[in-house]
Amino acid sequence: MKDNFRQSMAWLHTWSGLYLGWLLFVIFLTGTICVFDDPITRWMQPEKQEVEAEQDQMLPLAQRLQALQHGQQFLQQTAPNSHFWSISLPSQQRQYVRVGWQDEDKKFQREKLDFNTGDKLKDETVRDTEGGHHFVHMHFELHAGDTGIWMVGAATIAMLVALVSGIVVHKKIFKDFFTFRRNKGQRSWLDAHNALGVLTLPFLFMIAYTGLVIFYSFYMPAGVLANFDNRQSYFAEVFKRPPHRDEQHVAASVLPLGPLLEKAEQRLGREVSFMSVEHPGDLSATAAASGKINDDYNKNRLLFLVGGSVMFDAVTGQELDTQMPETWRGSEALKIQRVMNNLHRLFYADYALKWLYFISGLAGAAMMATG
Amino acid sequence: MVFSRVMAAVLGGYALSSAFIILLAELIPGTLADAVLTATLFSFAIYTAAIIWVFSVRTATLAWGGMLFVTALCYGAAQLLKMLGGAA
């Protein structure tokens, strides 16, 4: 392109930065804010009573069974032919049933219910807000659905290209790092850009690459599509879970979920916090009961392990599949993908590490702005 | 000229990465799902390298040629391996 490799890379660094830097800046800044999405939500709802507890506790079995019954009743009335139901059971910090379902337009709907009466909860005392979660959607899809995910992906690849070309451009990377000329206009901005870029370089590579890896099968489906009939059969093999049950279009009603929950708790030796039903109303319906996630266990562990789950035939009640709490289920390579996912999303991190990510993120955003 | 080169990087690079992971999935031992996943995890590095290469060569034609040649090579080799694997 230009006379030599370094000049080509300088050109590439400049132009990819100019065209996509603004978008990357937005992604970076919102991503940085995402580190503290939960605290932001709490800050936006100061009227909410905080239960000061490190570990949220589930409500006792009797209350959860009641909640489950109301949840199921609501879904049966509202969305009998939905593709998917979910029921989150009440805990000390969330004293309500949260039901979710897929409506006719394949959109996901949710509602909060009083677990004693089953009435819709229009909570007047706590304002309704997406809170910090807004930034999460801004960060990975720019509130633009699949198009947004592709745009973020393209910008992230451009970022990897800019990082590599940036390193090539700065041959005196060590010396440049210690150079800062104040009050020299453009030169000062560039020195700041170099210092911040070099300082956060490992973080920048890690965060960009792991971000892409979260959506690997969306961004790079070639390998999956060349070797499997569809994504579902691939995921069944990767997650080592029983194959997806196709709809049979034969009407059949879902059993009361209460007894299934009790059976699952016995099997897992753990409180169930969440139940879901796939294809309710069809003969192929399955119900899954998930054990509560153990946050203490997952702290400082890169491989996040869930609280186990039991899957039932929702029409006959037959047990189909069980995964015990804190056990790994899935292929070996999936572990690598999950760890990279966790490195990006920080499920394992305590506040010290979150602050380190936050500062690195701000430094990265400043690097883009000064460039 | 620049536009052609950008297209070579974005589209050609994507095709190359796709073909590359299909080939890599054939070469990696273990279960098919593991091989496909591992290969896919490498794809973003391949894509980045491909884009860097596109912008480092002398002409856009050469960039396009390189992308298409490697894509065809990877894809062809993968198909060949699949055929041999199927026969054995």
Side-chain angles (χ1 to χ4, degrees):
Chain A
M1 172 130 224
K2 296 282 180 289
D3 290 337
N4 64 45
F5 186 55
R6 181 164 296 132
Q7 277 169 356
S8 310
M9 289 301 107
W11 182 91
L12 184 58
H13 190 77
T14 307
W15 289 102
S16 64
L18 270 178
Y19 275 107
L20 288 157
W22 60 273
L23 183 56
L24 276 172
F25 181 76
V26 170
I27 296 167
F28 236 73
L29 202 60
T30 51
T32 303
I33 295 168
C34 286
V35 174
F36 294 120
D37 62 337
D38 284 339
I40 289 172
T41 310
R42 264 178 266 150
W43 171 70
M44 288 171 74
Q45 297 177 323
E47 58 278 44
K48 191 170 168 182
Q49 292 290 314
E50 274 305 319
V51 181
E52 284 300 328
E54 271 288 292
Q55 266 273 40
D56 190 15
Q57 300 292 328
M58 296 307 294
L59 292 187
L61 180 63
Q63 282 169 315
R64 276 180 296 131
L65 284 174
Q66 198 179 20
L68 185 62
Q69 198 192 342
H70 286 308
Q72 186 173 6
Q73 230 163 38
F74 177 89
L75 290 167
Q76 189 69 55
Q77 278 163 13
T78 317
N81 297 312
S82 164
H83 194 74
F84 181 80
W85 291 348
S86 72
I87 305 174
S88 301
L89 299 171
S91 66
Q92 280 179 358
Q93 284 182 26
R94 290 199 311 227
Q95 303 233 357
Y96 47 78
V97 201
R98 201 168 42 182
V99 290
W101 67 95
Q102 204 184 60
D103 69 10
E104 287 89 358
D105 304 330
K106 301 213 157 192
K107 280 224 173 91
F108 200 73
Q109 303 289 343
R110 55 182 59 179
E111 199 72 64
K112 287 177 187 172
L113 308 178
D114 185 317
F115 70 86
N116 287 311
T117 64
D119 296 334
K120 271 194 201 177
L121 211 61
K122 244 311 158 227
D123 203 339
E124 301 287 317
T125 52
V126 177
R127 70 189 87 180
D128 203 21
T129 173
E130 259 214 277
H133 204 68
H134 159 84
F135 295 108
V136 179
H137 284 275
M138 183 78 199
H139 172 64
F140 79 84
E141 57 176 11
L142 309 166
H143 295 297
D146 284 358
T147 318
I149 298 181
W150 278 113
M151 284 170 72
V152 172
T156 312
I157 283 287
M159 175 169 162
L160 287 175
V161 169
L163 289 174
V164 174
S165 57
I167 294 169
V168 173
V169 172
H170 296 291
K171 54 177 171 181
K172 293 175 290 181
I173 204 158
F174 191 73
K175 195 175 154 220
D176 278 356
F177 179 60
F178 288 104
T179 309
F180 188 73
R181 285 152 284 191
R182 283 203 307 161
N183 299 323
K184 288 268 163 58
Q186 229 182 0
R187 190 65 241 178
S188 301
W189 286 108
L190 196 58
D191 286 344
H193 176 76
N194 292 344
L196 290 166
V198 173
L199 191 65
T200 52
L201 198 56
F203 173 79
L204 297 174
F205 266 113
M206 181 279 288
I207 211 75
Y209 210 93
T210 54
L212 289 167
V213 162
I214 293 174
F215 288 101
Y216 75 100
S217 66
F218 181 83
Y219 286 140
M220 285 287 177
V224 173
L225 298 179
N227 290 293
F228 293 87
D229 294 335
N230 52 45
R231 284 184 213 212
Q232 265 166 357
S233 56
Y234 161 75
F235 282 124
E237 204 177 309
V238 162
F239 290 108
K240 297 200 171 145
R241 62 187 178 203
H244 180 80
R245 305 217 307 185
D246 289 327
E247 263 174 304
Q248 297 184 15
H249 303 289
V250 180
S253 53
V254 176
L255 287 173
L257 295 172
L260 300 183
L261 179 144
E262 288 185 87
K263 211 165 153 187
E265 295 209 340
Q266 274 171 12
R267 175 74 48 163
L268 300 173
R270 161 95 40 124
E271 290 169 310
V272 166
S273 63
F274 177 83
M275 283 198 78
S276 61
V277 179
E278 203 165 345
H279 307 160
D282 190 77
L283 193 61
S284 66
T286 52
S290 309
K292 188 178 176 305
I293 287 165
N294 184 344
D295 293 328
D296 285 341
Y297 179 89
N298 282 302
K299 193 149 260 178
N300 299 323
R301 273 174 208 257
L302 282 172
L303 187 61
F304 188 90
L305 296 178
V306 292
S309 66
V310 184
M311 194 201 264
F312 301 96
D313 184 313
V315 176
T316 65
Q318 191 202 350
E319 197 177 311
L320 297 175
D321 181 58
T322 302
Q323 181 188 358
M324 292 307 283
E326 283 95 47
T327 54
W328 172 250
R329 156 70 86 66
S331 76
E332 288 303 305
L334 186 64
K335 281 186 187 169
I336 304 170
Q337 196 270 339
R338 297 319 293 173
V339 166
M340 289 173 104
N341 183 50
N342 204 350
L343 275 175
H344 193 96
R345 295 169 71 182
L346 291 176
F347 295 130
Y348 68 98
D350 51 18
Y351 275 106
L353 194 62
K354 283 189 176 179
W355 276 106
L356 183 63
Y357 267 63
F358 186 76
I359 291 164
S360 303
L362 283 185
M367 178 274 292
M368 288 164 196
T370 52
Chain B
M1 267 323 259
V2 172
F3 179 74
S4 167
R5 204 184 280 258
V6 170
M7 286 297 114
V10 175
L11 302 178
Y14 189 81
L16 183 146
S17 319
S18 295
F20 194 91
I21 54 180
I22 293 173
L23 173 62
L24 206 56
E26 292 297 318
L27 298 174
I28 294 172
T31 67
L32 185 59
D34 261 342
V36 166
L37 175 48
T38 312
T40 307
L41 293 182
F42 281 108
S43 64
F44 304 111
I46 306 300
Y47 199 0
T48 307
I51 294 172
I52 296 277
W53 185 80
V54 162
F55 284 98
S56 70
V57 295
R58 206 153 281 278
T59 66
T61 320
L62 186 57
W64 268 111
M67 289 293 110
L68 294 178
F69 177 71
V70 179
T71 304
L73 196 69
C74 287
Y75 190 74
Q79 293 309 312
L80 200 65
L81 283 172
K82 259 197 184 71
M83 264 158 53
L84 292 175

